[in-house]
Amino acid sequence: MKIDKTQELLNLASELRWQVGEGFHDTLIEGIYADAADIAQKVEIKQGSVPKFSFERQLDQILTSKRFGFPIMILVLSIILWLTIQGANYPSGLLSTLFLEIIYPFLKSLSSQVGLPWWMDGFLLDGVYLALGWVISVMLPPMAIFFPLFTLLEDFGYLPRVAFNLDSAFKRSGAHGKQALTMSMGWGCNAAGVIATRIIDSPRERLIAIITNNFSLCNGRWPTQILIATIFIGALVPDHFSTLLSTLAVILVALLGVGFTFLSSWMLSRTVLKGEVSTFALELPPYRPPRIWSTLYTSLIDRTLIVLWRAMVFAAPAGAVIWLISNIPIGDQSMANQTIDWMDGFGLFFGLNGVILLAYMVAIPANEIVIPTILMLTVAHLDLLGVGVGDGVMFELDSAAQTGEILRAGGWTLLTGINLMLFSLLHNPCSTTIFTIYQETKSWKWTTIASVMPIVFGFIVTFIVAQLWGLFA
Amino acid sequence: MTELKACDSCALNNTAQLQKLGINVDNTDFVVALAGNPNTGKSTVFNALTGLKQHTGNWPGKTVTRAEGGYSYENKKIKLIDLPGTYSLLSTSQDEEIARNFILFGKPDVTIIVVDAARIERNLNLVLQILEITDRAVLCLNLMDESKRHGIDIDDRTLSKELGIPVVKCSAIKKEGIPELLKTIHQVATREIICQPHRISGLSTSAQKMVEELEARVKQHYPALPNSRWIAMRLLDGDQHIIDALKNGEFETAISL
């Protein structure tokens, strides 16, 4: 009986809808607007002749102008990265001294006093503890500088202007203009960027935004980019130019990511995700002076600590796995060494190596631990005595220069550095992001495409670079 | 029929609905929703009321999911739900649907609508849509400091009269107006203040007639539904989500038939 009543109601509705015609939606909207205008006119009291938002208009004209919009964007990003690279060095050294030169030997001596068996000592201290110490000393300083700066920019109201500048480019590649916002969100965290795509109403454009979000360098990858750029690219020029050159290199990679976002959006919208581009109104919110202290507080609590916690949660078991695969032998070699040797030829083909490929497999849970894993595997593989502590031990090196020495001893060249930066940009999303993509799309097909497409790009690009390098160098 | 009506106002019924929406209402006396356009400082109001430090960003789409928090006032425990900021409730994007479904099916005891005082006209579009769905709302005129800097003041008494709901002037960033807001929320929740919300009147006569005809029918079928007029308008607009909700009986559970 209930069903009948509902059906009857719906029948009446569709009958009336027939009479009222297509225009009802517009009538309704117009009605709402008319009422709103009427009320607003009654209640708004304008005082004096204060020029309304004139300063903001002028600022918007500059920040979103055709000529200056893009250069300003790149300049702002450069300043933030430069401050991060420059500022992170010192606290990083301090933290590593604390965790690895003071606490680590203390724990080691404690464990020998208690008489822990060698495997437990190795597993816990050389695996889990060192992985954690590494992640904290490498991740915390750049994050504690990068996030608050980025958040200040967000609070000021700059991001919607970025979206405005990028809007036409997104439209031309067949995607939604709001994707500029989700892309910027991805610069913090891809999983967050994927969730943020909920602001896009068309399912087609939302899928494009989800699939391409991985091309935004996330906070797990910024430190990798910064470190490798400092070691291999900054070292090409005299000291006082090296920060500048490393910054430029990182920006280039980030912009390449933006380029790939456009390219893949364009490819998707021309093939599997064809359709009309929808229009939307983007409000440029008023500029607001950011409240420095509360921003520092919230970005520290909300972002830095949460991201750090996530990195630690993943680093601990990864450290254990690394220790295990470096210490469990197959035949006359450890599992890690076997795999590295086996993949080395394949890796070199792409200007990478077996260590990097294995590190990316171990580090699927979190991009943050790629560099520690690479270093540890390199040392274990080379049996570099005197550096590091032993098989499967993640260790800390005081400066980028020393890290560079290890990597060079492992056969790394400028090409390996460049291709690692490229591969770090173009590879599968971390497992959290993959899971989030599935959650948002509820489709294995799109999750697979989103995971596999970047890595295909990665192999193509590194291959081309390696081959060109071979031709010219 | 009278029994059914009694059930509608009973606390248990609403609780079941809220739980279905994923909200734990244990030890909660009132559920309050926070709605508004993006960039009106909704999250700042949320933080000011709850004392939490949820990050607030100056760009549309910062809050795409719901955030929850709680506070107590005059021995009543209140659960506060921060809804995604939206410009309307008429499109089909997911953030708008989250906001709409919550006000429609979650039936919060009070909905706080946060508006930017300097952009009142644009913000009123959403206010009017929300007032079609719920009749228990408080308007929070936020960003008063910024608005005054731009030489705009708002006649809050007239606004309150026009909208039929209480209006509180705030500057949430400076914690100004928050005590008054807390008190007004309490008064609306306890029915000390009864709202008589404005209904959209700018429709053409013929459209108005059809809305009335359909509304009468909706009322006949769902007498306990507080927003029959809005349902009628959505049906006339051919809103597939509302049609589906009627078909699979979501409204019936919402009003506990």
Side-chain angles (χ1 to χ4, degrees):
Chain A
M1 190 198 114
K2 201 69 236 161
I3 304 291
D4 293 348
K5 270 172 130 189
T6 309
Q7 201 51 52
E8 190 198 326
L9 179 66
L10 291 178
N11 288 344
L12 175 69
S14 73
E15 192 185 305
L16 285 172
R17 195 139 57 89
W18 198 248
Q19 288 177 33
V20 82
E22 285 285 307
F24 180 74
H25 188 74
D26 294 338
T27 319
L28 179 62
I29 304 268
E30 278 163 23
I32 294 171
Y33 273 62
D35 277 14
D38 180 45
I39 297 173
Q41 191 248 321
K42 283 182 196 158
V43 300
E44 233 173 4
I45 308 164
K46 294 200 171 109
Q47 295 152 334
S49 57
V50 183
K52 206 179 163 189
F53 315 128
S54 65
F55 170 70
E56 295 197 350
R57 286 231 174 95
Q58 278 170 354
L59 194 56
D60 267 342
Q61 262 163 17
I62 297 169
L63 291 183
T64 60
S65 78
K66 283 215 169 83
R67 192 180 301 171
F68 299 113
F70 278 96
I72 289 175
M73 258 161 54
I74 292 171
L75 186 72
V76 168
L77 189 63
S78 311
I79 292 172
I80 289 186
L81 282 176
W82 189 82
L83 288 173
T84 309
I85 295 177
Q86 195 68 308
N89 251 336
Y90 179 69
S92 224
L94 221 65
L95 283 171
S96 70
T97 311
L98 174 72
F99 281 110
L100 304 143
E101 283 168 32
I102 298 174
I103 301 182
Y104 174 71
F106 172 75
L107 289 175
K108 270 293 202 190
S109 74
L110 201 71
S111 101
S112 71
Q113 273 171 28
V114 177
L116 279 186
W118 72 272
W119 54 269
M120 195 190 268
D121 171 271
F123 185 85
L124 288 179
L125 296 182
D126 299 339
V128 176
Y129 171 79
L130 279 183
L132 289 177
W134 220 105
V135 163
I136 294 173
S137 52
V138 165
M139 297 288 301
L140 185 59
M143 285 194 316
I145 299 172
F146 183 76
F147 285 162
L149 288 176
F150 200 79
T151 314
L152 284 176
L153 209 60
E154 235 184 280
D155 286 355
F156 175 61
Y158 185 60
L159 287 191
R161 273 83 192 173
V162 171
F164 185 87
N165 287 338
L166 293 174
D167 176 49
S168 67
F170 273 108
K171 281 229 173 94
R172 255 177 281 144
S173 50
H176 199 288
K178 279 193 202 166
Q179 197 178 324
L181 286 174
T182 63
M183 186 185 78
S184 340
M185 194 67 188
W187 282 336
C189 169
N190 294 134
V194 168
I195 294 176
T197 60
R198 291 181 187 176
I199 57 174
I200 299 173
D201 17 356
S202 128
R204 180 189 77 88
E205 288 158 333
R206 184 163 174 229
L207 266 176
I208 294 180
I210 289 177
I211 294 170
T212 57
N213 195 272
N214 189 45
F215 296 121
S216 296
L217 271 185
C218 67
N219 64 62
R221 296 184 272 170
W222 289 111
T224 308
Q225 298 290 343
I226 290 168
L227 187 70
I228 298 296
T230 312
I231 294 172
F232 288 98
I233 293 171
L236 293 175
V237 292
D239 274 356
H240 48 281
F241 290 121
S242 69
T243 308
L244 194 67
L245 191 65
S246 334
T247 307
L248 285 177
V250 177
I251 285 175
L252 217 59
V253 174
L255 290 180
L256 191 69
V258 177
F260 269 98
T261 306
F262 287 133
L263 178 70
S264 47
S265 300
W266 182 80
M267 282 168 53
L268 288 167
S269 67
R270 290 293 176 288
T271 53
V272 279
L273 287 168
K274 273 187 199 159
E276 290 286 302
V277 175
S278 51
T279 51
F280 72 104
L282 177 75
E283 182 183 29
L284 294 182
Y287 292 101
R288 301 205 168 111
R291 287 155 303 134
I292 311 279
W293 291 113
S294 89
T295 301
L296 286 183
Y297 177 84
T298 46
S299 76
L300 204 68
I301 299 292
D302 262 24
R303 288 188 161 177
T304 311
L305 289 186
I306 286 175
V307 172
L308 186 70
W309 173 246
R310 199 181 87 84
M312 284 166 62
V313 166
F314 284 115
V321 167
I322 292 163
W323 187 83
L324 285 175
I325 60 173
S326 305
N327 282 278
I328 297 175
I330 299 181
D332 55 347
Q333 290 236 45
S334 75
M335 254 168 91
N337 276 356
Q338 293 271 8
T339 324
I340 290 168
D341 289 341
W342 181 68
M343 289 192 302
D344 226 22
F346 181 73
L348 288 174
F349 200 57
F350 297 96
L352 301 166
N353 57 40
V355 170
I356 296 178
L357 295 179
L358 179 60
Y360 269 97
M361 289 182 195
V362 176
I364 282 179
N367 282 302
E368 289 84 340
I369 57 175
V370 165
I371 289 290
T373 310
I374 284 176
L375 284 175
M376 183 245 103
L377 289 172
T378 304
V379 173
H381 188 57
L382 290 176
D383 255 334
L384 281 180
L385 290 174
V387 221
V389 197
D391 280 354
V393 178
M394 281 190 174
F395 56 91
E396 167 60 4
L397 299 147
D398 285 348
S399 65
Q402 270 176 288
T403 313
E405 273 169 35
I406 300 281
L407 293 178
R408 288 192 188 94
W412 288 49
T413 60
L414 179 58
L415 171 68
T416 326
I418 291 173
N419 272 1
L420 174 61
M421 286 175 75
L422 292 171
F423 195 67
S424 155
L425 174 74
L426 304 167
H427 71 89
N428 54 290
C430 71
S431 55
T432 313
T433 305
I434 296 178
F435 180 69
T436 312
I437 293 173
Y438 178 72
Q439 287 272 303
E440 294 295 313
T441 60
K442 294 282 177 228
S443 145
W444 286 115
K445 180 186 155 199
W446 296 117
T447 311
T448 312
I449 289 180
S451 311
V452 173
M453 193 182 69
I455 207 159
V456 171
F457 277 139
F459 279 125
I460 294 174
V461 169
T462 49
F463 176 77
I464 292 174
V465 171
Q467 297 313 309
L468 287 178
W469 192 273
L471 279 181
F472 293 106
Chain B
M1 223 44 195
T2 40
E3 272 176 51
L4 298 177
K5 270 192 173 169
C7 215
D8 176 41
S9 58
C10 119
L12 276 174
N13 159 50
N14 206 23
T15 304
Q17 269 303 305
L18 288 165
Q19 272 164 351
K20 215 167 99 187
L21 287 161
I23 289 162
N24 176 12
V25 282
D26 292 347
N27 302 318
T28 301
D29 295 307
F30 296 119
V31 173
V32 175
L34 202 56
N37 281 32
N39 285 303
T40 50
K42 249 162 27 68
S43 299
T44 315
V45 173
F46 180 85
N47 289 344
L49 290 175
T50 56
L52 290 175
K53 305 256 182 197
Q54 194 195 29
H55 176 65
T56 54
N58 188 6
W59 56 281
K62 175 76 212 177
T63 317
V64 283
T65 44
R66 277 184 335 228
E68 286 179 37
Y71 65 91
S72 61
Y73 186 83
E74 301 220 328
N75 295 326
K76 295 284 182 199
K77 291 210 174 68
I78 287 124
K79 177 146 259 178
L80 190 64
I81 315 285
D82 191 11
L83 299 175
T86 58
Y87 294 107
S88 84
L89 297 177
L90 299 172
S91 92
T92 49
S93 71
Q94 222 180 334
D95 47 348
E96 291 195 11
E97 236 172 90
I98 291 172
R100 183 177 82 178
N101 285 352
F102 189 82
I103 304 174
L104 198 56
F105 300 123
K107 296 210 287 173
D109 294 294
V110 184
T111 302
I112 310 168
I113 315 170
V114 184
V115 307
D116 177 351
R119 289 161 185 76
I120 186 94
E121 183 177 337
R122 195 164 2 131
N123 281 239
L124 278 174
N125 294 322
L126 176 72
V127 176
L128 295 176
Q129 291 173 43
I130 293 176
L131 291 185
E132 286 290 338
I133 308 182
T134 178
D135 51 4
R136 288 196 243 164
V138 175
L139 192 80
C140 168
L141 260 182
N142 196 24
L143 304 169
M144 277 314 298
D145 53 333
E146 198 175 288
S147 162
K148 280 189 183 145
R149 253 203 330 273
H150 293 307
I152 298 172
D153 199 2
I154 302 291
D155 177 357
D156 52 336
R157 285 180 156 202
T158 309
L159 184 59
S160 174
K161 221 181 281 167
E162 287 288 330
L163 294 177
I165 57 170
V167 173
V168 182
K169 283 185 172 180
C170 276
S171 177
I173 261 185
K174 296 178 179 163
K175 304 254 157 76
E176 284 167 15
I178 298 300
E180 292 84 350
L181 184 61
L182 283 168
K183 189 174 169 204
T184 314
I185 295 167
H186 184 76
Q187 286 171 327
V188 174
T190 54
R191 306 287 182 116
E192 203 175 308
I193 296 179
I194 302 285
C195 303
Q196 285 177 318
H198 173 98
R199 293 286 142 105
I200 297 163
S201 59
L203 293 174
S204 69
T205 354
S206 64
Q208 184 71 32
K209 238 190 198 150
M210 288 186 211
V211 170
E212 275 164 22
E213 187 180 345
L214 200 54
E215 185 192 354
R217 195 65 70 92
V218 175
K219 259 196 183 137
Q220 194 187 328
H221 290 322
Y222 306 100
L225 213 58
N227 31 39
S228 47
R229 199 175 108 98
W230 188 78
I231 306 282
M233 288 199 280
R234 295 316 300 144
L235 286 176
L236 271 184
D237 205 2
D239 186 326
Q240 198 56 46
H241 287 83
I242 296 296
I243 294 174
D244 290 345
L246 280 176
K247 274 187 185 157
N248 59 36
E250 271 180 73
F251 283 104
E252 277 146 60
T253 32
I255 57 174
S256 89
L257 278 171

